[in-house]
Amino acid sequence: MSDFHRVKRLPPYVFEQVNRLKAKARAGGADIVDLGMGNPDLPAPAHVIAKLVETAGKPRTDRYSASKGIAGLRRAQAGYYERRFGVKLDPDTQVVATLGSKEGFANMAQAITAPGDVVIVPNPSYPIHAFGFLIAGGVVRSVDAEPTPEFFHHLERAVVHSIPKPIAVVVCYPSNPTAKIANLDFYKDLVAFAKKHEIFILSDLAYAEVYFDDNPPPSVLQVPGANDVAVEFTSMSKTYSMAGWRIGFAVGNERLLAALARVKSYLDYGAFTPIQVAAAAALNGPDDCIKEMRAIYKRRRDVLVESFGQAGWQVPPPQATMFAWVPVPEKFRHLGSLEFSKLMIEKADVAVAPGIGFGEFGDEYVRLAIVENEQRIRQAARGVRRFFDGADQILHNVVALKKQA
């Protein structure tokens, strides 16, 4: 496998190392509290499941579907954008349904990237933001992920010092993994920057509805003229707890979406039609389920911050997403996030995501996903306390093992 060109461009998937250790611990009888993968544990809304059941099993809906999404689903997504952001989209030319935002990013990269093309990607960031372009033959230029004025200084340097000039910049706010939020002024500056330098914006807005105050995260497409340069990706996974259903969207610039739709037409026939019909029912239906989801995650966030703080690990309260981006305790920082994550499974019975998996600038952090209930989060905190209480001996043993190796 190492002989294959595209496979050689991919580093080891560090999350898999943690997953293997987690599976081994569970096989040995350990009760692991899994705060690693952002895999929602809440049920999909009842009315959405009912629509899926109603639609499945009929000859017409069991056939091949539409690669870019059935018309009703694309209209539903356009309706959502108009209600939520005040943005009008043409469902025929400015909306493409994807098999989740991850597939959307990967196929957009295939559609627009020539060998050697440079793409600017925040670091740390969700892996597909970089590796989708690496797989497509592109080159990634990293910039700091903070949505501050300094971000634009990094962008300017990246554009000036990259040969060839970058074709696009990726942004993700609310951010996975850092949970940082960008405001509309940031997006105004970003659109102006993109137009000035003639580059595209690829925005990941998967966590648009998972926020914990009264300030909903904006869309880059709210900026006048953003459609000239931007495509935005959203997902049903987190908003409606439909992660396994694999439904997302790309919306915005017609030229980019036409390229994405053409590539997809060769690769897939779209999601199972009943899933698309049910997704349209979700978008067109009541938003009580979204408010309930938001309230549950907020309570879990508060329990995480409180209980882990009492255990001796201060968790910066995230304003959005289902994640907390937490510094590795200073005593363990020299180990790096991957080794610390392994120790968390072995000594605390808690799985977390090592920050190095999101980029080299994430190695002093781990990501905690609030995808377990409040009782389990408190159980995780008790495991952390036990781990920290024995930290000196554990570190002594780690050093001794390294010397033996």
Side-chain angles (χ1 to χ4, degrees):
M1 185 175 292
S2 62
D3 295 331
F4 298 131
H5 170 68
R6 285 182 172 81
V7 175
K8 284 195 295 184
R9 303 199 77 200
L10 299 176
Y13 196 58
V14 298
F15 303 117
E16 184 57 32
Q17 297 183 47
V18 176
N19 289 339
R20 283 199 301 269
L21 197 59
K22 178 177 65 179
K24 181 180 178 181
R26 283 177 167 167
D31 181 14
I32 303 297
V33 181
D34 193 351
L35 308 181
M37 186 176 180
N39 197 4
D41 65 320
L42 304 178
H47 69 281
V48 179
I49 296 172
K51 179 58 72 173
L52 172 70
V53 172
E54 174 190 323
T55 312
K58 298 179 180 179
R60 285 190 63 187
T61 61
D62 280 343
R63 302 172 71 184
Y64 291 132
S65 193
S67 177
K68 66 181 290 185
I70 61 175
L73 178 58
R74 286 184 280 113
R75 286 195 299 268
Q77 176 69 350
Y80 163 74
Y81 257 78
E82 186 164 10
R83 292 190 309 273
R84 173 69 164 80
F85 303 111
V87 172
K88 291 189 176 183
L89 299 168
D90 183 335
D92 292 326
T93 61
Q94 291 185 290
V95 180
V96 171
T98 64
L99 305 179
S101 59
K102 189 174 184 178
E103 176 269 329
F105 254 96
N107 279 330
M108 180 63 80
Q110 295 291 334
I112 70 174
T113 309
D117 275 349
V118 177
V119 177
I120 303 170
V121 179
N123 188 333
S125 192
Y126 188 57
I128 197 62
H129 296 156
F131 294 117
F133 290 97
L134 288 174
I135 292 169
V139 176
V140 170
R141 178 74 183 248
S142 294
V143 296
D144 186 68
E146 292 281 328
T148 64
E150 188 66 20
F151 180 86
F152 294 98
H153 299 310
H154 297 310
L155 278 189
E156 191 74 40
R157 285 198 297 271
V159 169
V160 170
H161 296 292
S162 294
I163 300 176
K165 187 187 79 173
I167 62 169
V169 55
V170 175
V171 290
C172 175
Y173 304 108
S175 169
N176 178 9
T178 70
K180 298 292 185 181
I181 298 176
N183 58 32
L184 197 54
D185 285 339
F186 173 87
Y187 285 134
K188 289 176 181 176
D189 291 341
L190 184 63
V191 170
F193 182 93
K195 289 189 172 187
K196 173 186 174 183
H197 292 284
E198 298 182 323
I199 64 176
F200 292 115
I201 299 167
L202 303 177
S203 170
D204 187 345
L205 194 62
Y207 295 89
E209 301 303 338
V210 190
Y211 58 90
F212 306 128
D213 54 28
D214 296 324
N215 188 24
S219 161
V220 67
L221 297 181
Q222 290 176 247
V223 178
N227 273 321
D228 298 336
V229 293
V231 163
E232 192 157 69
F233 297 84
T234 57
S235 171
M236 306 291 288
S237 296
K238 310 308 189 294
T239 303
Y240 296 97
S241 299
M242 293 166 61
W245 299 49
R246 306 316 300 138
I247 287 288
F249 301 93
V251 305
N253 181 269
E254 293 185 9
R255 179 184 168 207
L256 291 177
L257 291 178
L260 172 62
R262 185 170 182 185
V263 166
K264 281 178 59 63
S265 71
Y266 284 92
L267 298 176
D268 68 69
Y269 289 107
F272 185 38
T273 296
I275 290 178
Q276 295 195 49
V277 172
L283 290 167
N284 293 329
D287 64 357
D288 295 3
C289 55
I290 301 176
K291 294 177 181 176
E292 182 180 355
M293 169 274 297
R294 201 179 290 139
I296 289 171
Y297 284 133
K298 184 176 182 179
R299 289 196 298 271
R300 290 180 179 182
R301 179 205 65 173
D302 294 344
V303 168
L304 179 77
V305 171
E306 175 200 6
S307 61
F308 274 52
Q310 292 173 348
W313 195 6
Q314 300 306 312
V315 174
Q319 295 177 275
T321 77
M322 55 174 57
F323 305 118
W325 186 238
V326 190
V328 174
E330 187 173 352
K331 184 176 289 189
F332 298 95
R333 204 161 293 166
H334 66 283
L335 299 175
S337 60
L338 179 56
E339 292 307 313
F340 175 73
S341 298
K342 292 178 179 179
L343 284 177
M344 283 285 290
I345 292 175
E346 295 173 356
K347 308 301 181 182
D349 290 336
V350 177
V352 300
I356 189 66
F358 304 97
E360 66 271 27
F361 297 153
D363 199 25
E364 293 188 350
Y365 294 82
V366 292
R367 192 194 68 179
L368 309 183
I370 45 177
V371 291
E372 296 261 20
N373 63 39
E374 295 167 38
Q375 179 181 347
R376 295 280 286 172
I377 292 171
R378 293 188 187 280
Q379 177 181 331
R382 291 192 292 272
V384 168
R385 168 60 68 85
R386 291 195 305 272
F387 174 26
F388 287 1
D389 285 347
D392 291 340
Q393 184 61 49
I394 291 168
L395 287 170
H396 175 78
N397 294 341
V398 168
V399 171
L401 287 172
K402 284 185 176 181
K403 287 181 178 179
Q404 292 176 11

